[in-house]
Amino acid sequence: MTHTADQPQWWKSSTVYQIYPRSFQDSNGDGIGDIPGITSRVPYLKKLGVDIVWLSPLYRSPMADMGYDIADYQDVDPMFGTLDDLDELITQLHAHDMRLIMDLVVNHTSNRHPWFQEALDPASDKRDWYIWRDPRPGATPHEVPAGQRRGDEPNDWTAAFNGSSWTWHEASQQYYLHLFAPEQPDLNWDNPQLRQAIFEMMRWWLDRSIDGFRMDVINLISKPEGFDQPGEGSITSAAFGPHFHEYIQQMHREVFDRYPDRVFFTVGETPGATPHDAILTSDPARRELDMIFQFEHMGLDSADGDKYHIRDLHLPDMKRNLARWSQELAGKGWNSLYLSNHDQPRPLSRYGDEENHRYHSATAWGAMLHAHPGTPFVFEGEEIGMSNYPWSGIDQFKDVETIGQWRQSVTLDGQDPQAVWPAIVKMSRDNARTPMQWDATENAGFTTGEPWLPVNPNYETVNAQAQVDQAGSTFEFYRAMIALRKEYPILVEGDFELVEPDDPSMWWVRRTLGGQVLDAVANMSSHSIACAVPDGDVILSNRRHDNGDDWEYAALAPWEVRWVIHPA
Ligand code: TEU
Ligand code: CA
């Protein structure tokens, strides 16, 4: 099989499982998850039934952004194990008929990467692999502590983790660009040698038998023309720059097309993407990527495009957003489906009713997401209904974004800490990064040592061991749901329709294929609602799993979800 437009797209009926290696399973008691730990859990992944495993970065890194700052693309950080350990994991996954994709973080490197170390010398041939600019002419810099604005930065861009996007390099009297932390200098993709170095590195990984990549902020690689002038927007204007599609098509030719006998899977992380961008990037005929991660639906419970300006989700906004993506991409591109990853709070805490309807709200959200057209992604712990951590102080956080947000709003802007705190607690990326809860033993079976982030105290009841093979558990619900994707082509290929888009509690998605209809209907509230659920074959439900009761067709219990199949 070749990876071309006319070949079956195997990843359409696949489910992806994301592992955050630091938090999945520790094997040597140092409190940090590692590769042998992941390998020991391959049977668990097999049991869940996922097809593809995505590993967040485990390359050599100073960990300024927990591995999204890479100092060596072709080695594993000793904290996680060795390349031999990784080869063993790949072998085990393949032996169990699963595939493995690596995180590809090539918008930027670590400032400790040898390329950047060389680039500090203006005479080096690596200088142009990064983005250097003179101070703004005519501006007078003021003396400030490192990391604060001097006043003569080339433009006013604010980095994703706060502060300027430009850091001054005294020795060479120039600024370098970083859209994220100062420890994450942006690569210059307009340099052809840099592109070749990246493509070569990607081939090296494919030669190690991995099956593809998740590409970190890949749509930021081509900076817009004139971006380095005063008044030129914000870093969001770096999304889908002028040469983005050209560079990705070149990548396709020079990396994936070199392996005509293999099939791969690629997904690009693309903040700011519109459905139009998604089509251009994922249309198989254009030979770029298989799919992208859109962000619009992750912004619906915050205001002004600022994730820390939290507000309650208005359910119809989410329903309409996912419907719009489903309808606009239909027949033209392909979508990814996610509510959860290492950057987002836990969906159960964010959108569900963790206190009163833990199982039902976790499964209702999962089932409605998976009922949409696209490839579903499950983030570690989502399948057992893990939730946000009950943080009690700012010192508990390890995430550079959370710490940067607190410093900016409280320390620098002087906001009231008590006013800032609720958004930090709800939205911190560390909510997703607390250790995986395996069992009810100390530290949830994650480590025998001191875990790098605290284990959620609910682990004694919320853990994998209490759920695997237990009818009525979140794990068994996810397992059944993932299996249905293989059994019912309607989930993959079916046309999509959103029924009753304005209903604030009921979520009803209808798929049709041939003479068949699949209705996915849920009550996304903590009170019962009236609802004319169609009669038919209930293939998935989070209510009345075992007792053989007749279905009630005129009402839905709190957070009840059903997938019903019937003739058109
Ligand atoms: O995230 C990209 C991104 O857009 C982030 O700003 C994300 O929106 C933010 O974390 C949400 O609060 C990717 C990685 O997933 C993230 O972990 C990295 O920190 C970032 O790139 C830089 O590599
Ligand atoms: Ca370890």
Side-chain angles (χ1 to χ4, degrees):
M1 278 204 287
T2 57
H3 189 78
T4 60
D6 55 317
Q7 292 298 328
Q9 292 154 329
W10 59 278
W11 32 261
K12 285 191 174 177
S13 57
S14 295
T15 300
V16 186
Y17 189 87
Q18 181 191 354
I19 289 179
Y20 195 68
R22 221 184 157 84
S23 305
F24 195 59
Q25 176 70 68
D26 180 20
S27 73
N28 61 355
D30 67 356
I32 296 172
D34 46 48
I35 301 170
I38 299 171
T39 305
S40 73
R41 296 299 184 177
V42 167
Y44 174 84
L45 302 171
K46 186 66 193 169
K47 179 112 192 175
L48 183 58
V50 296
D51 306 279
I52 301 170
V53 173
W54 150 28
L55 297 180
S56 273
L58 30 71
Y59 311 92
R60 270 190 193 267
S61 167
M63 305 286 165
D65 186 14
M66 294 301 164
Y68 283 89
D69 50 318
I70 297 172
D72 184 347
Y73 286 117
Q74 293 174 219
D75 202 1
V76 160
D77 197 281
M79 159 189 303
F80 297 123
T82 63
L83 278 171
D84 286 343
D85 292 334
L86 188 58
D87 287 343
E88 174 63 14
L89 173 59
I90 298 169
T91 304
Q92 287 302 320
L93 285 169
H94 286 171
H96 289 82
D97 204 23
M98 288 181 275
R99 295 168 196 257
L100 178 118
I101 64 168
M102 296 287 280
D103 218 307
L104 183 79
V105 188
V106 290
N107 174 70
H108 44 265
T109 66
S110 163
N111 60 338
R112 308 305 307 170
H113 194 292
W115 294 347
F116 188 73
Q117 289 298 309
E118 282 182 48
L120 292 173
D121 174 2
S124 147
D125 62 356
K126 297 290 188 304
R127 182 73 170 183
D128 188 51
W129 287 25
Y130 294 85
I131 300 173
W132 298 92
R133 291 294 184 273
D134 291 334
R136 182 188 304 180
T140 318
H142 30 265
E143 288 298 318
V144 288
Q148 289 185 32
R149 284 178 208 266
R150 293 158 42 94
D152 63 350
E153 285 80 6
N155 71 12
D156 296 334
W157 284 9
T158 296
F161 304 141
N162 294 297
S164 174
S165 290
W166 300 95
T167 287
W168 179 244
H169 182 233
E170 185 66 32
S172 63
Q173 295 287 296
Q174 280 197 310
Y175 283 101
Y176 67 86
L177 179 74
H178 54 88
L179 299 186
F180 294 89
E183 295 87 354
Q184 294 167 296
D186 277 48
L187 286 164
N188 177 21
W189 273 71
D190 295 332
N191 181 301
Q193 284 81 39
L194 176 272
R195 296 202 299 278
Q196 287 308 327
I198 299 288
F199 300 156
E200 194 186 326
M201 174 273 283
M202 292 174 72
R203 292 191 298 261
W204 184 87
W205 277 106
L206 297 182
D207 291 340
R208 267 200 124 78
S209 326
I210 69 157
D211 303 292
F213 298 98
R214 174 268 187 188
M215 303 183 186
D216 192 63
V217 287
I218 195 68
N219 66 326
L220 304 184
I221 59 173
S222 169
K223 307 314 185 239
E225 251 140 73
F227 77 95
D228 47 0
Q229 306 301 310
E232 280 310 303
S234 68
I235 65 169
T236 52
S237 55
F240 296 101
H243 302 288
F244 169 73
H245 294 289
E246 173 192 328
Y247 294 160
I248 297 300
Q249 288 174 4
Q250 184 188 12
M251 175 196 285
H252 200 120
R253 288 193 305 275
E254 301 204 16
V255 179
F256 304 108
D257 283 355
R258 300 276 179 96
Y259 301 82
D261 299 330
R262 289 173 59 186
V263 289
F264 297 116
F265 173 72
T266 56
V267 52
E269 190 209 25
T270 54
T274 63
H276 179 68
D277 297 320
I279 291 166
L280 288 180
T281 312
S282 67
D283 173 356
R286 289 172 51 88
R287 307 174 62 70
E288 296 189 12
L289 303 177
D290 294 330
M291 65 194 72
I292 64 157
F293 290 127
Q294 67 113 347
F295 276 66
E296 285 180 0
H297 68 309
M298 289 288 101
L300 299 174
D301 58 348
S302 49
D304 327 312
D306 179 341
K307 80 178 246 190
Y308 292 97
H309 287 181
I310 51 172
R311 62 179 182 196
D312 285 343
L313 175 72
H314 179 52
L315 184 71
D317 292 346
M318 179 68 78
K319 289 164 45 172
R320 282 201 218 90
N321 184 273
L322 296 185
R324 187 162 69 84
W325 278 81
S326 300
Q327 277 151 352
E328 294 198 19
L329 267 58
K332 301 186 186 133
W334 191 253
N335 203 10
S336 69
L337 304 170
Y338 74 95
L339 293 171
S340 199
N341 62 38
H342 64 292
D343 293 334
Q344 301 294 336
R346 294 280 178 181
L348 169 58
S349 305
R350 189 175 184 179
Y351 307 125
D353 182 348
E354 178 182 345
E355 220 162 292
N356 305 304
H357 298 281
R358 182 171 201 106
Y359 162 74
H360 293 103
S361 60
T363 49
W365 271 98
M368 290 315 297
L369 182 77
H370 287 229
H372 285 75
T375 297
F377 286 68
V378 177
F379 177 67
E380 65 180 41
E382 178 186 337
E383 76 281 11
I384 55 168
M386 280 178 59
S387 47
N388 283 356
Y389 185 82
W391 307 104
S392 55
I394 190 69
D395 296 342
Q396 293 174 314
F397 294 99
K398 298 282 197 299
D399 172 32
V400 61
E401 179 189 273
T402 311
I403 295 165
Q405 177 64 21
W406 183 262
R407 180 170 180 271
Q408 182 68 45
S409 47
V410 175
T411 315
L412 299 176
D413 297 346
Q415 291 178 35
D416 175 5
Q418 283 184 347
V420 173
W421 181 245
I424 295 277
V425 167
K426 181 176 179 201
M427 299 305 278
S428 172
R429 306 196 296 183
D430 279 342
N431 283 305
R433 302 176 182 184
T434 63
M436 176 71 184
Q437 293 161 212
W438 293 107
D439 57 39
T441 65
E442 212 189 341
N443 296 320
F446 165 69
T447 182
T448 54
E450 187 65 32
W452 75 279
L453 260 192
V455 174
N456 195 308
N458 66 23
Y459 76 93
E460 289 184 22
T461 50
V462 180
N463 66 66
Q465 198 186 40
Q467 296 193 22
V468 175
D469 291 327
Q470 297 303 311
S473 71
T474 307
F475 180 90
E476 288 302 320
F477 185 94
Y478 265 74
R479 186 155 84 99
M481 177 168 79
I482 290 166
L484 288 171
R485 179 161 298 272
K486 301 270 183 263
E487 204 179 318
Y488 287 92
I490 193 171
L491 278 164
V492 180
E493 308 285 341
D495 288 343
F496 171 91
E497 184 192 345
L498 178 64
V499 184
E500 307 263 18
D502 299 324
D503 193 300
S505 312
M506 185 187 59
W507 196 348
W508 185 333
V509 155
R510 171 166 285 181
R511 308 288 302 274
T512 40
L513 185 68
Q516 205 178 42
V517 176
L518 185 157
D519 281 310
V521 192
N523 172 3
M524 308 300 286
S525 78
S526 298
H527 51 266
S528 296
I529 58 169
C531 170
V533 188
D535 197 348
D537 187 7
V538 178
I539 59 170
L540 184 71
S541 167
N542 62 1
R543 293 269 170 188
R544 281 169 286 196
H545 10 86
D546 272 339
N547 61 10
D549 280 358
D550 280 344
W551 290 99
E552 162 90 66
Y553 290 105
L556 288 172
W559 299 101
E560 174 169 357
V561 64
R562 283 182 222 167
W563 285 3
V564 186
I565 293 266
H566 55 93

